[in-house]
Amino acid sequence: MKFNKIYFAIWIVIFSLFAYWQFNDPDPEIWVSIYGVAIIFCLLGVRGIFPKIPLTILAIACVIGAIYYWQGDVGGWISEEVEQHNLSMKTQSMEESRETFGLLIILVALFPAIWKSWRK
């Protein structure tokens, strides 16, 4: 149980930083809200609460969103990021690639909660 508290507390901090960084995004209301939902589920995880249906819906939404935003050229996106030497968004494809990976990070981070909800 202590592992859950530490694990989800770390993700609360990470998702809070992600939400903070979204304030200068072209669509902050969407992404701050998405990371806010992830924070809520992490807070529930700290308390040992794993609601099966909401977590399943979130997982499906993350997969659908990641497929929707998927650019296909991940190598090109990474090389663009390395070439520019900072985190400013230069192209729409860079933004959508980052959004894809943001959704996948939420899915991976909440996987233990999803797993626990289905094991009950």
Side-chain angles (χ1 to χ4, degrees), residues 17-36:
L17 289 170
F18 285 3
Y20 172 76
W21 289 323
Q22 293 303 313
F23 282 112
N24 103 13
D25 199 62
D27 48 2
E29 58 281 342
I30 295 170
W31 291 97
V32 171
S33 299
I34 289 171
Y35 288 123

Side-chain angles (χ1 to χ4, degrees), residues 37-49:
V37 169
I39 291 167
I40 289 168
F41 281 110
C42 287
L43 286 168
L44 290 172
V46 167
R47 302 212 45 195
I49 301 168

